[in-house]
Amino acid sequence: MGTAEKHLVYCWIERDGEVLFLRRTEGTFHGGRWELPGGTVEPGEPMEQAAVREAAEETGLTVRITGERSHHSWMDVTGRDLRVHARIYTAADSAGDVVLNPAEHQDHAWLAPARAADLDLLPHVRETLTR
């Protein structure tokens, strides 16, 4: 049997030159690190639809996908025989207030990409800052 595949999708939501970053809740996988709104694609779910769903679940924002910013692949960091694929989409949002799901994220920040470089970002998010 070959290597399993996992697909993640994220939204690059920008307002006035600042991007929305979320900080993972302590005690969760990658707790305390910063990422973009996003998550796992469900079986059979279209990727862009998954990105819209995940953004709504994690931020309370209604977004519309406007393009694809970057694509990343890596082997699972815990050593499982699993290849992870992440797509980061650019997204326009409804300009509402961010409402976090505390089970997943403990903080958020709107930051210019250059300022976000100072955060403890997940690697695929850091690579996207300069694209």
Side-chain angles (χ1 to χ4, degrees), residues 59-77:
T59 68
L61 299 175
T62 301
V63 302
R64 176 177 49 83
I65 301 301
T66 58
E68 185 174 316
R69 185 175 175 89
S70 61
H71 179 242
H72 312 264
S73 295
W74 63 91
M75 290 306 292
D76 181 70
V77 296

Side-chain angles (χ1 to χ4, degrees), residues 28-39:
T28 64
F29 187 61
H30 290 309
R33 299 189 76 184
W34 291 81
E35 64 180 352
L36 298 167

Side-chain angles (χ1 to χ4, degrees), residues 82-93:
L82 177 69
R83 177 166 289 285
V84 180
H85 303 279
R87 287 186 191 277
I88 298 178
Y89 293 101
T90 53
D93 81 296

